[in-house]
Structure formats: C-alpha cells, structure tokens
Amino acid sequence: MMKKLLTILTVTLLSSTLYTQVVVTNPVVPVTDQPVTITFYAAEGNGGLAGYTGDVYAHTGVITENSTGPANWEYVKTDWGENTPETMLTRIANDVYTLSIAPDIRAYYGVQQNEAILQLAFVFRSQEPVGGEYLAGREADGGDIFVAVVESGLNILFVQPEIRPALLDPGENLFVEAFANEAETMSLYEDDVFIKTVSGTSLTHTFTPAGNEVHWVKVIAENSDMSVADSFFYLVRPLVTQEERPSGIRDGINYIDNQTLVLSLLAPGKEYVYVIGDFNNWHPNNDYFMKMTPNGERFWLEINNLDPGREYIFQYLIDGELRLGDPYADKVSDPWNDHFISEETYPGLIAYPEGKTSGIATVLQTAQEEYQWEVENFIPAKTTDLVIYECLVRDFTEKHSYAAIIDTLDYLQRLGVNALELMPVNEFEGNLSWGYNPSFYFAPDKYYGPKNELKRLVDECHKRGIAVILDIVLNHSYDQSPLVQMYFDGNNPAPQNPWYNPNHNFANPDAWWGNDFDHESLYTQNFVDSVNTYWMSEYKMDGFRFDFTKGFSNTYHTDDDPWGSNYDAARVAILKRMVDAIYDQNDDAIVIFEHLAENSEEKVLANYGILLWGNMNYHYAEAAMGYNTGDKSNLSGISYKARQWAYPHLVGYMESHDEERIMYKNVTYGNSQGYYNIQDTSVALDRIRLVSAFFYTVPGPKMIWQFGELGYDYSIDYNGRLGEKPVRWDYYNDWRRNYNYHFISSLISMRKNYDVFETGNFEMDVNNGEMKTIRLFGDTMQVIVVGNFGVGEGNIRPVFGHTGVWHEYFSGDTLQVSDVEMQLTLRRGAYRLYTDKHLVTPDIGTSVNDPSDDRNTGLRGFIYPNPTNKDATLALHLNESQYLRISVSGISGIEIEKQQEQYYSKGLHNISLNTASLDPGIYLCLIDTGKFTEAIKFIKE
C-alpha cells in the first residue's frame, strides 16, 4: 500500500502537552478507543490537595471539536461536589493517586462516535468541603488540567517542550521528546535539515541553539501504511534592552499617528515580554520584543507600519508562558462569549483568532472614527433635585443594547428622571451578567454594543438634561482580569501582585467576591484614578456609583463585624483620597457610595460631599403590604436628618437591583381585610402610589429601580437571582400601571419645581402605626402629606401649619382649616398631599376621588385621561358582578347624558364615555348600582 504523508499539525501556538507535572498517563499516548490510567501527583501544580488524607474525586469532562474553548467542557461526568465510584481516585502513595478510565475513553465519557475528542479535562477535589470550600488540585497557575488524546491510528504528540512555541533564554538548550503510537520509525528535522531517524514510538533529542533566529523542529512518523508529521518552532530571546519610555506615554495603547503606536505594560518583576498578534501572525518575534524601563517597572514597544483603521487583535506573552490582553484596552476579543453577540447588537465584530492563541485578547486600531459630541459640557442637576433611575441594560430592553436604551430616553424624560445610573457596563465575565464580575475596566462590554453607541447614549441623555452615572466595581475583580492573572498562584493573587491582596479582609465569606483590591497600594490607587478619569474624559460620565466601598480597606473584619460596618478610619482616608482625585478632574462629578456602614462613618463621608445609598426597601415594603406593627413600617430612615447628617446626601431608595420588588411583595404577601386585599393587582398598585407619596416628597436625592414606576411584579429570584428578567414595556399599556407612571411623574415634577422640597425644615411622623404624616415648611409654601397605611379606615390629625385654605394637589379639592388640630378620616390606602399655595392640578386624573370603600361598594374606578379634550374611558374594577347604570352629570349632580346601562361581570372593565358633546367644565361620572350611587369627578377641556 502506498504510504500517505499527513501533516497533522504544522504550526501552532497552542500547547497540547501529553502530560504535565500534575498528571502522567499510561499509555503515554492516550487513544480514544482504549483505556487509560491517570496518575495524579497532588503535591505538584498548585498543591491544593497536598497532605490531604481523605478520598479524592475527579471533576472531569472532555474538550471536543464542538467545544468553544478550554472552559467549554463537554460530557462532564458529575456536578461539582458529586461523589461517584467512577470518579473516585485510588491512593497508591502519599499524595499520589490513580484514576482508571475504562473500558475506553469514549465509552467512559459517553462521547458520540462521530465527535472528535481533543483533550481530557480535570480538576481533582476533596470528598467534602474543608473550611467551607473544597480543596482542589489544579495546574500551578490555577488552571484546569488538560491531557491531549488522539484517535486510533498513527499520531504524534510532543511531550517536551511543554510550552510551544519554545522561548529559550540565551545559552539554554532545548530538549525535545515526542511519541507516535503505531509508528515504526520517527525522523527529526530542524529547518528542514535532517537530524536523525529512530525506530519505534519514542524520539528524544537535545538542541544547542545559536543566535536569535526562529528555528523549526519537525518530526515525521511512519509505518507501512502512512506517514504523519507535526512541528513547532523555537526562538532564543535576546537580552532585554533597558530604556525609558518616550515622553507622554501612559500605560496601555498610545496612538502616535495613523500607522504608529506605543504599547506600555506595567509588569514589575517580570523578566521579559513579547507582543504577539495579527501583525506578526501570532509568532513570537524578536522585532516585537519589548524594552524595559530602567526601574524594571514597565515594558514598552513602538509598533510601526500598521494599516490605518484596521483592527488588530493582540496579546502580551509574558515570561514565555502567560498570554494576556492589555489591561487598559478599550475592546477585548473573547473566544468563549463573542460568538453569542448578534450582528444587530455589534455590527462587524472582529472574529477571535481561533487556533492561534488562547484566552482573552485585546484589540487595537489606529485612525479610529472619533465620536462627534453634541453636548460638550454638561452640568448635572443639583443634589437635592436628583432623581436617579437605576438600569441594567440587559433587562431593560429586549435588544439589550446601548442603542435600545436611547429609544427609552423620552420615556425617562417624561417621568422626570434627571440621572441614569447604568449598572456596570465595562467588560465583565460572560455576557449575561449584572456586571459585578469585572475584568477589563476600560472596555465597554460588547454584549451591549460598540463603544460609540455608549457615547451616543451619554450624549442623548445630556441633550435631555439627564446625567449619566456609571456603576463601577473597584472592590474586587474575578480571575479573568489580566491584573489578577499576571500574578496568580492558582487560587489567589500571589503575594507579589501589585494590585490585589492575597487574601480577603473579611472573616465572613458572604463578603467575599472575586479577588480583593489592595487599596493601600499606590499601584491600586493609581489604577483607580486612571479608571475614574478615563470614564469622565472619554465617555463624559457625570459620576460614579461605587460598589461595596466597605471593602476599600485592608483592616481585617472579624466575626464580630462580619460586614465591616464598624468605623474604619483607614478606609475613610482611602475613600477621601479617591474622591479628591475625582473632584480634581470634575468639580461637578456625582459620587455615590454603596457603603451601608455604621452611621458614624457614613456621616463623615456625607459631610465630605459624598452621596450614600440609603436602603429603605424593607420598611417601605412592609408599609405597602399593610404591616405596621412594631418598627416594620418605620419610614424615618429615608430622612438624612434622622441620621443626623448635615447635608441631604442620602440617596434614598425603595428598590434597587439588590432588593425584592415591592409590587411582587404586595401581590404575594399583602395584607387584607374584608374584600380589600392588597394581593389584588389594582389594590397593590394603589399601595405603590401610597408609599411613593411618602418617598418622593422627602428632601434629598432619590433612586428608582427600573420599571418600579410601573409596578414591576416579578421576584428578584425569578430565573435565579442573577438571571434574565422579563422585559415588560407592555405594562405601560395597562391603564392602572400607566396611571402610576403619571402619578410618580407628577410627584417628581413637583419636587423639582418647588423649593419647599429642598427645605431643611421638615418633620416626619412616620415611625410606627398606620397613620403617617410629613410636614415641610418652605419660605413661600408649606406641604403636608398624610396617608393611611392600614387595611381599615383611620383618623389622623396632620397638625396643619396654619388655618385657612389648603389645596389637595392630585384632586384640586380645597380644605378649609379652621383648627390646625382638625381630624381627617382616610379610607384604607388613601393619601392626601396638601399645599397652602394653589398649584395646577396634574393632568393625571385623581385617585383621592376614587369611590369610597367604607360602604363595601365592591367597585373602584377612575377616569382617564383626566382632564380630557375628547372621549374618555372609565376604568372600573368590580369585586362582584353587578347591574350598573352609568351617566354623566354636572357638578350639581343633575344628569346630563346617560352612557351605559347593563350587567357587568366581576373584574376589570374599560368603559368608553362619550364626552364629545360636553362643554368645557367639571363633570361627575355617576355609577348607580340600584342601592347607591358613586360619583367620579373629571374635567372636560
């Protein structure tokens, strides 16, 4: 039979080692249709199971031709933590174990016959958690353990060098070891020059390189049927040149002109760095060997002759082993997640260089198209007027894109929002994330679209008077971050990592996320400042909401202080330093902390000018649900004065991304009495208005969680806490939810237009019980808000500021107060907002004139739009089926026109009212049940 030469792998940058120090295989070349024994050396690699005496199990799967990358294991045998006899290892000596994979590899894993297996993947672990976590045996860098396998037949695998291409130190020899199953002879070549031939399935050789050229090593294996070949190259690196960076060069990518740039990498303690990428076909090349600054802190390289406007993907190859993207790059190329990004979201996304490198890479591009800003300088609303809308791009629009958010801005503007707070949008791990697992701090996440679309979103916000606040995570990073990977021991940042602490500073594991930044390090402080400056300058962000600022300290917090809430002077100093640097860049910057620490510390930060999150979710939810015993519905914490702060720097909120939705609580757990049931959607929405009246009227900035204005009623745990949530823009078409939107909009408009809502002279009787009052005293106007948070009728003495005429804002009704101690009777869930100055009644209709429920009428409704200049709709909810006669009368009660007379079933009805023939004026819609008549006031314009 004629022999056929197959080149099974010509040139590759991906290491496909036969074994590592951590595992050895028998046979040496594992074949997919044969059994294999894996020997695991627990003291090698990261040593995570060294000295462990319990049973050890393999968490194992395979990398096949269908895997999208090394993280995409297929045919995984068990879930993490699941112990089975098939995955239990046998101890043969201290720290030495074996695992038998039989009857053959394909059968053991259950891989289909037509699917090629490329590698076996392992992480070895302890039988049970130790100290709350499983002990895990991995590679030395913390990565998964991979073992290359071959299909039956003639194949070659290189065992040494483990890392290919091989980068040698000057004077270092190169040892080559290769195996070829079913081979009769193996021949070795260097630069196509024959070296030797050996018989059998194993070949070794030692090269003594000379010079700094690239050399090619090739092995040809032959038997009577065929020949196959495999090859790699090696390079002797030169000595590192020490030279200062050119003037004006900063860390990251520095564009000099349309064909030239300078790369600068901060990597103290590293020996040498190559730049690899599309411009050199991903081959280490001494023309792309970086210079080192004389202090050993940085590596830099000027690259010329680039094609203007072309995108190039690149990485740093550090010390011959570590491949990392540029930490300062504004775009990444992700082998695992980019292919899930649609063309519509990110047109023309550059493809990852499959087969040429591994891990996250980054993108550079000279002669980029600059975004043309329409609003060059923007000044945010003053602090007391801030109404912030917290938004997760992923769950706010079906298209989950910056562009789609732009389409919602008119809606937000009509609502009255003047600040949009974006949950983290810098590159995070995966696509479907809240964003609190950041990796590249200067790159907008591509799952939401191109960077210029984010700039356009900011620009469009500014055109509408809306500031943009970026939620940013500088407490921690996860393992994908190049700053973590650059100095990593496999489980934690290595002690020499300039930016991160080796361990967490909290005894409480619930306060651990990713890898903890060392905020006392000058490296970290400089990095933090560069991140903040970048987003303010490049994207014109108006400020930041900083996540978990309690973690910005190296103070160890014990079990007695599990969330680090006790006063920490070192932390205060660190945070003030960061804020000073922000204000040096922008005096008008909005700085918000999610601190949630002891009030003594928050008071100091608030007095320094910092805004702080004020979580009032529990108390407002209890009040909305109608549970008022004890301290449940105490709303006083929404006031900065109750916290004894000097300035209104409390960003109060009823909901945020982290809390359960109040509307969900209402419809799931709401209280009831008689037919009044807060779990009914209509009543639940009424209760949202009730708590809103006691939220937006309190002086100080406020925050809304997305769709809260429409009564979003999906649990935070729907589809898992971090999972995608339904996007419900259709809520706006529900008249009840639409009414809430306009109700809240009117409150926001009121608080922004009248200085009384900035006053420091206000009182709140909202601590306990069902009846609550807020009193605000301004220079030209006084306001009183009263509400019944119970499920039955109640009486209240608001204590008016003076006698005379008071005006109810939503209804336009007047109240003659002859006694400031006069008593008001409020139905359950009712609210009133009185001013001693006549204001224009908002054109949203009225809820305070809803039919009274104290006679157990069983019907509730209102008219919209109100005022109306054309036909209107009576939205009517019946608790039981009834025969109704509906008519319109003048304000005197004399009937003008009969509208409807028929039997109506239980439930919701939208009934059209013919008002076209009515002259402008005030009218009553009369609803006659035969036993009583209800009247709803409306205005014809």
Side-chain angles (χ1 to χ4, degrees):
M1 181 180 295
M2 182 180 294
K3 290 190 292 184
K4 182 179 180 181
L5 177 63
L6 298 177
T7 303
I8 62 173
L9 187 61
T10 54
V11 181
T12 181
L13 288 171
L14 300 179
S15 173
S16 54
T17 56
L18 186 61
Y19 60 77
T20 69
Q21 293 179 321
V22 189
V23 298
V24 173
T25 65
N26 183 23
V28 175
V29 182
V31 181
T32 58
D33 62 359
Q34 296 177 12
V36 62
T37 298
I38 306 294
T39 301
F40 166 53
Y41 294 89
E44 302 298 332
N46 72 336
L49 284 165
Y52 176 68
T53 57
D55 291 335
V56 172
Y57 288 81
H59 181 62
T60 182
V62 293
I63 304 298
T64 75
E65 61 182 345
N66 295 329
S67 297
T68 58
N72 185 207
W73 293 17
E74 303 281 359
Y75 302 97
V76 179
K77 290 291 291 183
T78 62
D79 292 333
W80 182 257
E82 182 182 355
N83 300 327
T84 64
E86 277 189 306
T87 56
M88 181 177 174
L89 278 70
T90 300
R91 186 193 306 272
I92 60 174
N94 289 338
D95 290 338
V96 183
Y97 303 82
T98 61
L99 175 68
S100 176
I101 295 178
D104 59 64
I105 293 172
R106 189 174 294 277
Y108 178 84
Y109 289 99
V111 182
Q112 300 178 30
Q113 287 296 324
N114 60 351
E115 186 172 356
I117 304 173
L118 306 180
Q119 293 175 314
L120 311 182
F122 299 95
V123 174
F124 301 101
R125 60 164 179 80
S126 57
Q127 180 180 10
E128 302 292 343
V130 177
E133 293 185 352
Y134 287 96
L135 303 178
R138 300 175 178 270
E139 290 283 11
D141 63 359
D144 302 338
I145 300 166
F146 295 101
V147 173
V149 298
V150 298
E151 300 293 335
S152 58
L154 184 60
N155 292 281
I156 297 172
L157 283 178
F158 285 103
V159 179
Q160 295 290 339
E162 290 185 13
I163 298 174
R164 299 185 297 279
L167 298 177
L168 307 179
D169 293 335
E172 181 182 1
N173 291 335
L174 173 67
F175 177 68
V176 176
E177 181 178 11
F179 286 84
N181 57 318
E182 302 185 19
E184 295 173 1
T185 62
M186 299 178 67
S187 300
L188 178 67
Y189 296 80
E190 182 182 31
D191 299 330
D192 285 333
V193 176
F194 174 75
I195 303 297
K196 66 180 180 182
T197 296
V198 298
S199 299
T201 60
S202 175
L203 180 149
T204 61
H205 186 76
T206 299
F207 290 94
T208 304
N212 299 123
E213 294 80 17
V214 174
H215 297 280
W216 293 93
V217 174
K218 179 171 67 175
V219 171
I220 298 176
E222 300 181 273
N223 60 25
S224 58
D225 294 326
M226 63 187 305
S227 296
V228 296
D230 198 358
S231 63
F232 68 91
F233 71 84
Y234 72 88
L235 175 67
V236 179
R237 67 175 180 87
L239 296 175
V240 177
T241 300
Q242 293 195 355
E243 184 179 330
E244 290 289 358
R245 297 183 299 175
S247 176
I249 298 301
R250 57 172 179 78
D251 292 327
I253 306 168
N254 299 263
Y255 296 106
I256 306 304
D257 57 41
N258 287 348
Q259 293 182 290
T260 309
L261 57 80
V262 175
L263 298 177
S264 176
L265 177 68
L266 177 62
K270 298 300 182 181
E271 294 183 27
Y272 63 94
V273 181
Y274 281 94
V275 180
I276 55 175
D278 293 336
F279 35 72
N280 57 18
N281 201 27
W282 295 92
H283 297 166
N285 181 316
N286 287 336
D287 290 337
Y288 292 87
F289 191 65
M290 300 186 80
K291 299 176 181 179
M292 178 192 288
T293 56
N295 62 6
E297 290 275 292
R298 290 174 169 85
F299 295 85
W300 65 274
L301 178 70
E302 181 176 300
I303 300 178
N304 303 291
N305 300 317
L306 297 169
D307 293 336
R310 175 186 170 185
E311 287 190 311
Y312 295 85
I313 302 175
F314 77 103
Q315 287 174 317
Y316 298 110
L317 179 58
I318 302 174
D319 289 349
E321 298 184 3
L322 192 59
R323 297 166 183 270
L324 296 178
D326 191 307
Y328 288 80
D330 65 2
K331 185 174 180 178
V332 307
S333 185
D334 185 331
W336 308 297
N337 297 292
D338 281 1
H339 60 280
F340 293 112
I341 300 174
S342 70
E343 175 72 13
E344 181 182 12
T345 299
Y346 201 115
L349 179 60
I350 188 171
Y352 184 83
E354 295 287 351
K356 296 182 178 180
T357 191
S358 60
I360 302 291
T362 43
V363 180
L364 58 83
Q365 181 188 23
T366 63
Q368 295 184 41
E369 180 182 355
E370 293 290 333
Y371 179 80
Q372 301 301 313
W373 291 93
E374 294 188 53
V375 181
E376 289 289 347
N377 298 294
F378 178 79
I379 305 297
K382 55 187 175 182
T383 297
T384 50
D385 282 346
L386 277 178
V387 179
I388 302 167
Y389 198 88
E390 188 185 18
C391 174
L392 172 58
V393 176
R394 185 195 72 186
D395 291 346
F396 194 50
T397 67
E398 293 287 355
K399 294 182 178 180
H400 60 74
S401 66
Y402 306 123
I405 297 293
I406 293 171
D407 294 336
T408 73
L409 294 182
D410 290 345
Y411 167 92
L412 296 179
Q413 185 180 19
R414 291 194 306 271
L415 181 60
V417 166
N418 53 24
L420 176 65
E421 181 180 305
L422 297 173
M423 286 174 67
V425 300
N426 61 284
E427 274 287 347
F428 42 75
E429 301 192 12
N431 288 331
L432 304 179
S433 171
W434 278 7
Y436 296 105
N437 51 345
S439 53
F440 286 81
Y441 282 84
F442 298 83
D445 199 284
K446 302 186 304 301
Y447 189 66
Y448 297 154
K451 65 180 183 181
N452 277 357
E453 285 297 281
L454 176 56
K455 292 180 179 180
R456 187 165 72 91
L457 170 58
V458 175
D459 213 9
E460 290 294 333
C461 282
H462 287 170
K463 287 163 63 177
R464 292 166 173 80
I466 300 173
V468 184
I469 300 167
L470 181 63
D471 193 341
I472 199 161
V473 183
L474 289 168
N475 171 72
H476 60 269
S477 308
Y478 285 82
D479 293 357
Q480 188 170 282
S481 167
L483 301 183
V484 173
Q485 291 188 35
M486 204 179 304
Y487 307 86
F488 197 65
D489 69 6
N491 291 306
N492 299 294
Q496 67 269 30
N497 192 303
W499 301 282
Y500 297 89
N501 289 311
N503 302 297
H504 288 280
N505 296 319
F506 291 81
N508 174 22
D510 290 338
W512 298 355
W513 296 281
N515 305 286
D516 183 55
F517 269 114
D518 175 8
H519 281 275
E520 293 185 357
S521 164
L522 289 177
Y523 291 97
T524 299
Q525 292 175 10
N526 291 336
F527 180 75
V528 164
D529 292 346
S530 64
V531 170
N532 295 337
T533 298
Y534 174 79
W535 287 100
M536 288 188 292
S537 60
E538 184 68 19
Y539 288 86
K540 297 189 182 296
M541 292 291 176
D542 300 293
F544 305 97
R545 178 266 187 188
F546 290 99
D547 184 66
F548 197 64
T549 48
K550 283 193 296 191
F552 287 33
S553 169
N554 286 353
T555 303
Y556 186 77
H557 297 282
T558 65
D559 290 329
D560 294 333
D561 181 23
W563 287 99
S565 297
N566 292 342
Y567 191 92
D568 185 343
R571 177 170 60 202
V572 170
I574 287 169
L575 292 170
K576 284 183 176 181
R577 187 216 66 80
M578 179 183 73
V579 172
D580 288 342
I582 292 173
Y583 289 149
D584 284 344
Q585 296 295 318
N586 182 0
D587 288 339
D588 297 312
I590 301 168
V591 179
I592 305 172
F593 287 175
E594 183 207 27
H595 207 60
L596 306 177
E598 210 174 66
N599 188 56
S600 59
E601 184 169 330
E602 293 209 341
K603 184 177 179 180
V604 170
L605 296 172
N607 290 345
Y608 202 68
I610 299 163
L611 307 184
L612 295 109
W613 263 24
N615 182 2
M616 290 296 295
N617 175 258
Y618 172 80
H619 296 288
Y620 274 95
E622 292 296 307
M625 290 187 291
Y627 298 113
N628 300 285
T629 58
D631 203 41
K632 285 185 175 181
S633 68
N634 183 351
L635 307 182
S636 60
I638 196 64
S639 166
Y640 72 95
K641 288 176 59 178
R643 304 179 186 221
Q644 298 180 331
W645 296 5
Y647 304 102
H649 289 165
L650 181 72
V651 180
Y653 58 90
M654 296 189 288
E655 296 175 344
S656 77
H657 67 271
D658 256 340
E659 276 75 46
E660 187 59 273
R661 317 306 173 215
I662 292 180
M663 185 63 182
Y664 172 78
K665 284 189 171 183
N666 281 355
V667 298
T668 307
Y669 310 111
N671 200 357
S672 64
Q673 180 175 300
Y675 75 84
Y676 182 85
N677 185 354
I678 297 175
Q679 294 183 30
D680 175 86
T681 298
S682 294
V683 179
L685 287 165
D686 289 347
R687 304 291 292 205
I688 295 296
R689 297 199 300 277
L690 171 62
V691 293
S692 295
F694 279 75
F695 174 70
Y696 294 97
T697 54
V698 180
K702 299 291 179 285
M703 187 181 77
I704 314 169
W705 168 242
Q706 64 186 29
F707 295 126
E709 70 283 0
L710 295 175
Y712 192 80
D713 49 14
Y714 287 84
S715 171
I716 192 174
D717 294 318
Y718 180 91
N719 194 29
R721 183 178 179 87
L722 303 181
E724 291 179 278
K725 303 297 187 287
V727 177
R728 295 301 304 271
W729 282 100
D730 59 310
Y731 277 172
Y732 190 72
N733 299 322
D734 181 328
W735 63 267
R736 301 165 300 174
R737 299 177 188 273
N738 184 283
Y739 181 81
N740 273 27
Y741 169 89
H742 286 93
F743 176 87
I744 291 171
S745 175
S746 70
L747 281 173
I748 294 172
S749 175
M750 187 184 196
R751 63 173 279 121
K752 292 193 298 185
N753 289 331
Y754 297 100
D755 291 343
V756 67
F757 296 100
E758 300 175 13
T759 183
N761 184 10
F762 63 94
E763 301 168 352
M764 300 180 65
D765 296 329
V766 295
N767 293 354
N768 302 302
E770 299 172 345
M771 312 303 290
K772 302 183 189 296
T773 306
I774 297 174
R775 290 178 289 272
L776 301 99
F777 305 94
D779 294 335
T780 61
M781 184 170 70
Q782 295 184 20
V783 176
I784 289 185
V785 187
V786 293
N788 180 355
F789 288 82
V791 292
E793 185 179 277
N795 298 319
I796 187 169
R797 297 185 187 275
V799 187
F800 288 90
H802 56 78
T803 59
V805 177
W806 289 73
H807 306 269
E808 208 290 315
Y809 178 60
F810 294 104
S811 66
D813 289 342
T814 58
L815 179 67
Q816 183 66 48
V817 177
S818 57
D819 180 0
V820 295
E821 295 285 343
M822 71 179 293
Q823 177 176 285
L824 300 180
T825 299
L826 298 180
R827 64 178 176 83
R828 41 194 162 188
Y831 48 84
R832 304 284 192 275
L833 194 160
Y834 290 107
T835 65
D836 65 355
K837 176 180 178 181
H838 181 260
L839 307 179
V840 176
T841 303
D843 60 351
I844 61 172
T846 172
S847 63
V848 295
N849 279 336
D850 287 352
S852 173
D853 62 19
D854 59 352
R855 290 171 294 168
N856 194 21
T857 64
L859 61 83
R860 304 171 63 255
F862 62 83
I863 293 171
Y864 71 97
N866 189 4
T868 180
N869 57 15
K870 54 182 179 179
D871 290 348
T873 300
L874 168 63
L876 189 64
H877 185 273
L878 300 177
N879 286 351
E880 58 185 26
S881 301
Q882 296 187 63
Y883 188 89
L884 302 178
R885 185 179 189 278
I886 301 170
S887 62
V888 172
S889 77
I891 196 67
S892 64
I894 299 174
E895 183 176 308
I896 297 174
E897 184 176 321
K898 175 182 163 184
Q899 297 282 330
Q900 302 277 349
E901 186 172 359
Q902 66 181 61
Y903 184 83
Y904 291 90
S905 60
K906 176 183 177 181
L908 174 64
H909 300 273
N910 288 317
I911 302 167
S912 296
L913 300 179
N914 180 10
T915 62
S917 62
L918 299 179
D919 294 329
I922 300 175
Y923 296 89
L924 298 176
C925 177
L926 303 176
I927 307 168
D928 184 0
T929 71
K931 295 180 180 179
F932 53 81
T933 300
E934 290 292 347
I936 302 176
K937 184 173 64 179
F938 68 95
I939 300 171
K940 172 67 185 300
E941 292 182 333

